[in-house]
């Protein structure tokens, strides 16, 4: 049995996948201020489909002993993403968004793992802990670049209901470390988190191909 805390195992095993996601042209252009508000909205729209699926699966797992510590309604992103989309596209936002092929693949995978609590945790970790980590930096940059106020625009990275984010992240890692999973199951969860990163990277790569960015200075 490996004695390393599972949160560390996960973090180390996904380090390269994280770098691949973070370095996508789309995100680089976004954070360099080279995308229009609608160009940014294209990612928010894809996130809307992904988190609607993740939040829906969360609700189905609320009574599962393995998944329950991760089923935290204060993390649900559906309403915040809707506010952000309304800020970018106006009240008719629902009629201008559609899922890309990579988004449909990620959503299908999230729905598939609803039957496997460990797999659900892998996707939960990849997206929510990401939003609570680098996402906080992204939010500050979005507010600076697009001038969004405290409400709407970058709310999907805002987690008022959880209190101190560093404290929450520590508790989250403790929940990962306490997962009742043997060595084989841990390995499967690590593989699923890597898949979650890769599928997310595909979504970003697609955005990089379809969203027009201003040339780098
Ligand atoms: C430009 C985009 C991104 C930036 C600048 C960024 C930055 C960061 C930083 C600085 C951390 C470490 C925070 C800390 O330990 O205090 C982090 C953690 C994390 N990020 Fe990102 N990130 C980006 C994109 C992403 C994406 C697209 C995903 C998901 C596919 C993601 C998932 C994660 C996860 C799961 C963690 C937690 C790692 C752990 O501690 O176990 N990040 N990110």
């Amino acid at each position: 049995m490996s004695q390393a805390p599972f949160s560390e195992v996960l973090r180390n095993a996904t380090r390269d996948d994280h770098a691949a996601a973070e370095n996508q042209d789309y995100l680089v252009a976004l954070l360099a201020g080279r995308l229009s508000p609608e160009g940014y909205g294209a990612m928010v729209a894809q996130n809307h489909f992904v988190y609607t699926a993740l939040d829906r699966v969360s609700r189905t797992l609320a009574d599962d002993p393995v998944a329950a510590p991760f089923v935290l309604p204060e993390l649900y992103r559906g309403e915040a993403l809707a506010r952000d989309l309304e800020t970018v596209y106006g009240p008719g936002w629902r009629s201008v968004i559609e899922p890309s092929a990579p988004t449909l693949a990620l959503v299908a995978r999230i729905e598939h793992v609803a039957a496997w609590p460990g797999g659900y945790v892998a996707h939960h970790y990849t997206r929510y802990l990401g939003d609570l980590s680098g996402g906080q930096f992204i939010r500050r940059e979005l507010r600076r670049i697009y001038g969004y106020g405290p409400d709407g625009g970058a709310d999907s990275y805002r987690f008022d209901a959880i209190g101190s984010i560093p404290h929450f992240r520590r508790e989250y890692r403790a929940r990962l470390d306490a997962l009742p999973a043997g060595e084989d199951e841990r390995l499967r969860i690590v593989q699923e988190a890597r898949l979650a990163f890769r599928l997310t990277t595909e979504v970003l790569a697609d955005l990089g191909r379809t969203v027009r960015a201003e040339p780098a200075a």
Side-chain angles (χ1 to χ4, degrees):
M1 281 291 270
S2 153
Q3 291 309 306
F6 188 49
S7 59
E8 268 178 37
V9 172
L10 255 182
R11 175 188 230 169
N12 292 335
T14 55
R15 200 178 296 276
D16 290 352
D17 304 299
H18 185 277
E22 185 183 0
N23 292 323
Q24 283 299 305
D25 290 348
Y26 176 86
L27 287 178
V28 172
L30 175 69
L31 294 175
R34 293 195 279 117
L35 301 183
S36 66
E38 293 78 12
Y40 157 61
M43 179 178 75
V44 184
Q46 300 313 309
N47 282 339
H48 180 72
F49 294 106
V50 171
Y51 284 86
T52 300
L54 205 44
D55 294 350
R56 191 169 55 235
V57 169
S58 295
R59 290 186 187 95
T60 69
L61 287 169
D63 296 325
D64 179 276
V66 174
F70 296 87
V71 178
L72 303 164
E74 56 271 38
L75 294 181
Y76 293 172
R77 297 291 84 197
E79 285 173 20
L81 285 158
R83 274 199 305 281
D84 291 344
L85 285 166
E86 185 161 349
T87 302
V88 175
Y89 295 114
W93 61 269
R94 277 186 197 278
S95 62
V96 298
I97 67 168
E98 57 180 319
S100 65
T103 293
L104 289 174
L106 175 54
V107 166
R109 187 67 199 175
I110 289 169
E111 283 170 352
H112 180 76
V113 299
W116 169 34
Y120 160 75
V121 171
H123 286 265
H124 194 281
Y125 160 79
T126 303
R127 299 310 299 259
Y128 292 117
L129 201 59
D131 293 339
L132 289 164
S133 305
Q136 297 309 296
F137 163 76
I138 294 172
R139 176 169 183 243
R140 277 193 299 278
E141 293 299 293
L142 290 172
R143 291 188 62 179
R144 182 179 62 75
I145 293 166
Y146 298 106
Y148 295 134
D151 292 309
D155 278 11
S156 68
Y157 298 105
R158 175 177 164 191
F159 292 89
D160 289 352
I162 67 172
S164 153
I165 289 182
H167 179 257
F168 183 92
R169 285 196 339 221
R170 276 195 299 280
E171 282 202 337
Y172 191 97
R173 293 202 171 95
R175 283 166 209 238
L176 287 172
D177 295 342
L179 260 185
E183 197 59 17
D184 288 354
E185 176 68 354
R186 280 177 160 215
L187 197 60
R188 283 182 73 209
I189 296 172
V190 165
Q191 296 303 342
E192 188 65 30
R194 298 199 61 195
L195 180 61
F197 267 98
R198 286 199 298 275
L199 291 171
T200 303
T201 302
E202 287 299 317
V203 173
L204 295 167
D206 182 73
L207 288 166
R209 288 187 292 270
T210 52
V211 173
R212 207 185 68 80
E214 297 295 330

